[in-house]
Amino acid sequence: IHEKQEEFESNQFGLNQDIKNKLGTTEDRLNSQDTFQGELNKKCADLEKRETVLTENLKALEDQIYDVDKEGKAFENHLTNMFNQQKEEFEDSTKIQMSSFSVDLRKVN
């Protein structure tokens, strides 16, 4: 009986050790998962911050492009107006010169 009791206690001790080892392993896994989850959360937060910065930078660039486009169109309109004004002045001076030539030709004839 004594031998059987020792065998039983030995088996029970081994079983308890197995349970402790498995619980320890499970606890280690849970700690690893918690650590991994924490790292994932940090990376997600970092990505969200980067996305926010990129969105803000994109908005700033779009605003700059809009401003440059607006200034470019204003400059184009200014050049068009200058060209049209010079064209009108040239046409007017040409008409005056042609009229003057016509008068001079009549005087010669």
Side-chain angles (χ1 to χ4, degrees):
I1 292 182
H2 203 26
E3 287 179 21
K4 291 289 181 180
Q5 187 175 357
E6 285 179 13
E7 184 182 337
F8 175 75
E9 288 175 0
S10 175
N11 287 341
Q12 189 173 10
F13 179 77
L15 185 60
N16 286 340
Q17 284 300 110
D18 286 345
I19 290 172
K20 284 181 184 178
N21 288 341
K22 287 182 181 179
L23 285 176
T25 303
T26 303
E27 187 176 328
D28 291 342
R29 286 184 195 160
L30 287 174
N31 288 338
S32 294
Q33 287 178 347
D34 287 344
T35 302
F36 181 70
Q37 185 65 44
E39 290 173 4
L40 278 178
N41 289 343
K42 286 179 186 177
K43 288 179 181 179
C44 285
D46 185 48
L47 286 174
E48 288 173 354
K49 287 177 186 176
R50 289 181 184 186
E51 181 184 13
T52 300
V53 169
L54 288 174
T55 300
E56 290 170 356
N57 289 346
L58 176 63
K59 176 67 173 133
L61 286 173
E62 287 173 343
D63 291 345
Q64 289 175 352
I65 290 170
Y66 175 77
D67 291 342
V68 168
D69 188 48
K70 186 177 171 183
E71 290 173 7
K73 287 179 182 178
F75 183 68
E76 180 183 6
N77 287 339
H78 176 70
L79 288 178
T80 301
N81 291 340
M82 282 178 44
F83 174 78
N84 288 338
Q85 182 181 1
Q86 289 178 351
K87 180 182 166 188
E88 287 176 15
E89 289 172 0
F90 179 74
E91 288 173 350
D92 290 344
S93 69
T94 302
K95 286 178 187 177
I96 292 171
Q97 288 178 356
M98 293 297 283
S99 177
S100 174
F101 287 141
S102 178
V103 170
D104 288 343
L105 281 175
R106 282 187 201 153
K107 288 182 183 177
V108 172
N109 285 338

